[in-house]
Amino acid sequence: MQISGSALIGQRSSQRSVAGESAFHAIDPVSGAQLEPAFARTSAQDVALACELAAQAFDRYRETSLEQRAALLERIAACIVELGDALIERCVAETGLPRARVEGERGRTVGQLKLFAEVVRAGDFLGLRIDPAQPERKPAPRVDLRMRQIALGPVAVFGASNFPLAFSVAGGDTAAALAAGCPVVVKAHPAHPGTSELVGRAIQQAVRDCALPEGVFSLVFDDGIDAGVALVAHPHIKAVGFTGSRAGGLALMQLAARRPEPIPVYAEMSSINPVLLLPHALAKRAEAIGQAFAASLTLGTGQFCTNPGLILAIDGPDLQRFIDAAAAALETLPATPMLTAGIHGAYERGVERMQGQPGVEQAGAGAASRDACAHAGRSALFVTDAQVFAQQPALHDEIFGPASLVVRCPDAGTLQGIVEQLEGQLTIALHIDDADCDLARALLPTLERRAGRVLVNGFGTGVEVGHAMVHGGPFPATSDGRSTSVGSLAIARFLRPVSYQDMPDALLPAALRDGNPLDLRRSVNGAPG
Amino acid sequence: MQISGSALIGQRSSQRSVAGESAFHAIDPVSGAQLEPAFARTSAQDVALACELAAQAFDRYRETSLEQRAALLERIAACIVELGDALIERCVAETGLPRARVEGERGRTVGQLKLFAEVVRAGDFLGLRIDPAQPERKPAPRVDLRMRQIALGPVAVFGASNFPLAFSVAGGDTAAALAAGCPVVVKAHPAHPGTSELVGRAIQQAVRDCALPEGVFSLVFDDGIDAGVALVAHPHIKAVGFTGSRAGGLALMQLAARRPEPIPVYAEMSSINPVLLLPHALAKRAEAIGQAFAASLTLGTGQFCTNPGLILAIDGPDLQRFIDAAAAALETLPATPMLTAGIHGAYERGVERMQGQPGVEQAGAGAASRDACAHAGRSALFVTDAQVFAQQPALHDEIFGPASLVVRCPDAGTLQGIVEQLEGQLTIALHIDDADCDLARALLPTLERRAGRVLVNGFGTGVEVGHAMVHGGPFPATSDGRSTSVGSLAIARFLRPVSYQDMPDALLPAALRDGNPLDLRRSVNGAPG
């Protein structure tokens, strides 16, 4: 499939010229080479047209049967697989990620779409509730009330740099929104526009194959902010999904809050994912934890939202064993390419700032890159103490990439106090042994208040796509801690409840009719019906 | 029970003097008389203390057993009933509402607390999900993941003027937040501070009786904005519930969005609750609908968020019959007291503005008040046509009180176009006969997009407290259409999901442990477990 460099507006390609000043290119981050073709910056008119088509498609798309919507999601998955090697190769070229990782991420993306197809078929997300009429109730009869969740409206999704497939054009937000019944307009991440167009064409094809209105999906491009701003400001857009920087997420939150009609923004922003090493775990397996930590830190060159950026432990020889083991492991791990020159530059500046911090020492560093690579990220491990950490708020900030900071705490109380002062996090990991259970139990309330996922004897970098996953957390990990961006509960972010009072059966949505014709789980008077 | 005029900060009374400039009084809106005692404006320090106590209570309160939390809600209900006539009399004096209405509202408030006790005991709100480990999965083993919903944190609740019991100190937001496990700090509405203190003391008593931490509940007073602003800005507050004016709700939304940590605001603001009279219903029963409409319009002197402020119908003799019947019915209904001088003044100005609108005619008015009453609201019925309505955005604004506007539409398409252009609403009512079903079906998608509740052959003014009620709707009816402020689903606004990965059974919350020791409904791998 040819990459055209044009926005996909419904079933149309934008006619905007890809020549001249309104175009940009993807860059191969390994070689620094410019990749063809040029991509036209989508005009405000085309963004508006995408939103208009989405609004036109909305009423019909949201009332498609559960089977039709599940079939669309599965068809998208199939069309992505049909892209074959062309997708993998373009994605590797645009991101510098290893081929195996990109293939794995494709599998995850396809699996995510299929999971949402199952969720749609099961229908539990409809939240069906029935309070039957009680005509004899005193002092007044009770009306018949029935509730379902309906789709919010057209959704704007911003592709993420670090997951060119799983958090981008056909990623979690798109899958959840389409599952909920919302048309989607994606703003592609400018670091991988070719990958985005290919996946976008797969969705466009699936919409056509399923004979759905063209406005169900559009894709726009911009390496600046204009198209994204126009998209979020458009009155037809009713929610926003975003994964990226804190500055970007905050800007979108403010933009959405200032609209004449404010809309929800689900922004996943920044997290340093504290790892707490409890004393007995350290005593028993400091070296093993150190090695596993080094592997987690450098996975994907540290470019995961769940990267372990902060290690908290009680100071002593066992902690030193952990640090030594981690440093030794990092030394054997050569630097690998980062996603863009911009991300690499920001990472290098972050590491330099850390190196210049009084009271902070560097305890380890990765090996140099084995290959010629313009933007390889070398891992860096720093150590400080609790007092310095408490006094330097800058040490709490995320450095996006394979850098982490160990904080030596004098005692468990200090450790807990540090966690209490941290901002909201996506994950907090606990490493424990049986004898650490009492301390772990004492810490748990704080951890729950500070993170969306609490995990034991592991690292947050693996994010399972299932029903019980929360990939979210209190601000500023996300803009809205009531939600998750990974897993089946993500569908809830794009729904709102509507209730129907005394509506004749013939007018009710099928899911709420007498006799339960769709055979869905419903609650009646608050109990399973 | 004596009314002291002091804030309730946990189990303490504020020591701030009620004398001098920092005090205000309730006013009897019927006589205009000032009611004793004076109420001290709660200081910023006391607001901060209430928030501090709430934060201290949070971890313990949110981990009380479901039974303990249900018992608290039931104990609050009992303590409110124990207040007896003192509560009813003070409430009647402060609001001018009829005694029967206040007694009914007390019943509703008590019923609401008991409903949430049931919801807590059932435990479905915990949203328990388990994805068991799959150690044999290829290519990588699957971790064990378990999810539950936990309380958001301390919640600020603003009492509403128009429901001194059901939407105030122990109203829906307080009940839902306490049910979810959130401590609550209420800012009393200054129009009924005595009622608020009495109910607050009932909650304070219940917290004491249940041996819970004092910070679970506090109550602050202010007839200005300072205490409310301090409350919403306080870093320990994690969500806000508000029922009131659009200006007030928007101000809170902006305040919350500008905090270093933005928090969710659930503001119920303004709605004109369109009523659509379809042709066959009008032909059959124009007079009966007109009479029922007049009763709904004047209920509670029109001071309901669900008051029917806009009537849309196709023009013709049947519509004229409706208008004549409604006008005749209104003439027999004498003006009744409004809640405050301020509300009455705003209502009178709204009616005068309407009277001065070119193209708008007054078709009916209520009788004068039978009693001497300083602030009686006389109902007013206006008529215009679709063209005038479309051209005058001011006609779309809520007039809080018993005023309504009939819009004569030339045809069904124009009627639908008007609904499409309206802002978000709490309710939209359809009056239909069998032969109207096709038109009603064609209208439904628009109605669902514009309202939280769609009702047939009735008026929105009755808001049933049940499981299937949505008292919410798209902006500006509320700040967040994903939620409801009435009914059991309201608990969801004060929850967020947390997931636990590979956590030993002994550390897991009981609700998620192996063997389901609390015998709660849980889903396993996405299906009922």
Side-chain angles (χ1 to χ4, degrees), chain A residues 266 448 453 500-501, chain B residues 448 453 482 496 500-501:
Chain A
Y266 300 102
E448 286 171 333
R453 176 164 53 116
Y500 304 83
Q501 179 174 320
Chain B
E448 287 171 334
R453 177 163 54 115
R482 294 164 295 174
R496 68 178 185 87
Y500 304 83
Q501 179 174 321

Side-chain angles (χ1 to χ4, degrees), chain A residues 333-419:
Chain A
L333 295 165
T336 41
M338 296 196 81
L339 291 157
T340 68
I343 288 174
H344 182 245
Y347 175 67
E348 300 249 289
R349 286 191 300 278
V351 168
E352 275 164 34
R353 259 199 321 276
M354 198 64 109
Q355 286 164 337
Q357 283 282 353
V360 176
E361 285 183 19
Q362 184 153 5
S369 171
R370 276 192 204 132
D371 315 296
C373 171
H375 309 299
R378 275 177 83 163
S379 63
L381 182 63
F382 298 93
V383 180
T384 190
D385 64 39
Q387 207 176 347
V388 171
F389 186 76
Q391 287 162 357
Q392 300 287 346
L395 297 181
H396 303 211
D397 291 345
E398 182 181 13
I399 299 175
F400 191 68
S404 193
L405 175 64
V406 179
V407 179
R408 301 181 193 269
C409 302
D411 49 48
T414 305
L415 189 155
Q416 181 154 16
I418 287 179
V419 180

Side-chain angles (χ1 to χ4, degrees), chain A residues 7 19 39 43 57 94-95 140 144 177 195-196 206 222 224 239 243 278 344 350 358 383 404 419 434 453 498 529:
Chain A
F39 283 80
S43 67
E94 288 184 332
T95 62
D144 181 280
T195 305
S196 297
D222 195 353
T243 305
L278 299 202
H344 182 245
V383 180
S404 193
V419 180
D434 288 349
R453 176 164 53 116
V498 172

Side-chain angles (χ1 to χ4, degrees), chain A residues 41-282:
Chain A
R41 298 184 181 104
T42 307
S43 67
Q45 291 89 325
D46 277 343
V47 170
L49 177 58
C51 297
E52 194 57 57
L53 291 175
Q56 286 169 21
F58 179 48
D59 280 343
R60 194 178 135 207
Y61 180 61
R62 72 186 172 89
E63 290 300 340
T64 47
S65 69
L66 298 178
E67 180 52 40
Q68 281 174 299
R69 236 181 296 156
L72 171 67
L73 294 164
E74 289 168 345
R75 186 73 199 121
I76 293 172
C79 289
I80 289 172
V81 172
E82 281 166 23
L83 291 169
D85 259 11
L87 176 64
I88 303 297
E89 280 158 17
R90 178 75 192 192
C91 190
V92 167
E94 288 184 332
T95 62
L97 293 170
R99 188 184 170 98
R101 147 74 194 270
V102 172
E103 286 176 344
E105 195 179 324
R106 177 179 60 183
R108 177 194 180 92
T109 306
V110 163
Q112 205 159 247
L113 288 158
K114 291 178 178 169
L115 174 71
F116 278 107
E118 276 174 40
V119 168
V120 169
R121 282 202 183 90
D124 292 338
F125 74 99
L126 293 168
L128 305 173
R129 296 169 167 224
I130 301 181
D131 292 342
Q134 295 175 350
E136 312 300 327
R137 190 183 65 172
K138 303 287 174 204
R142 189 172 86 166
V143 296
D144 181 280
L145 269 177
R146 303 176 188 227
M147 181 201 286
R148 66 166 177 166
Q149 298 281 341
I150 73 168
L152 266 188
V155 170
V157 172
F158 287 75
S161 65
N162 59 339
F163 280 89
L165 299 172
F167 283 80
S168 285
V169 178
D173 272 330
T174 299
L178 289 176
C182 298
V184 173
V185 182
V186 175
K187 155 75 172 60
H189 196 282
H192 49 76
T195 305
S196 297
E197 185 186 327
L198 289 171
V199 174
R201 288 190 180 276
I203 303 179
Q204 201 182 40
Q205 175 71 45
V207 169
R208 196 161 55 236
D209 292 348
C210 294
L212 290 168
E214 61 171 334
V216 166
F217 175 78
S218 292
L219 173 66
V220 303
F221 294 102
D222 195 353
D223 61 342
I225 66 165
D226 294 349
V229 167
L231 184 55
V232 173
H234 198 283
H236 285 323
I237 294 296
K238 300 301 182 192
V240 179
F242 168 86
T243 305
S245 71
R246 185 159 175 174
L250 290 177
L252 289 181
M253 288 172 71
Q254 281 161 17
L255 192 59
R258 274 195 239 107
R259 288 168 43 122
E261 179 192 353
I263 53 173
V265 173
Y266 300 102
E268 189 205 313
M269 297 181 288
S270 71
S271 180
I272 55 174
N273 304 295
V275 177
L276 280 53
L277 308 177
L278 299 202
H280 295 277
L282 264 191

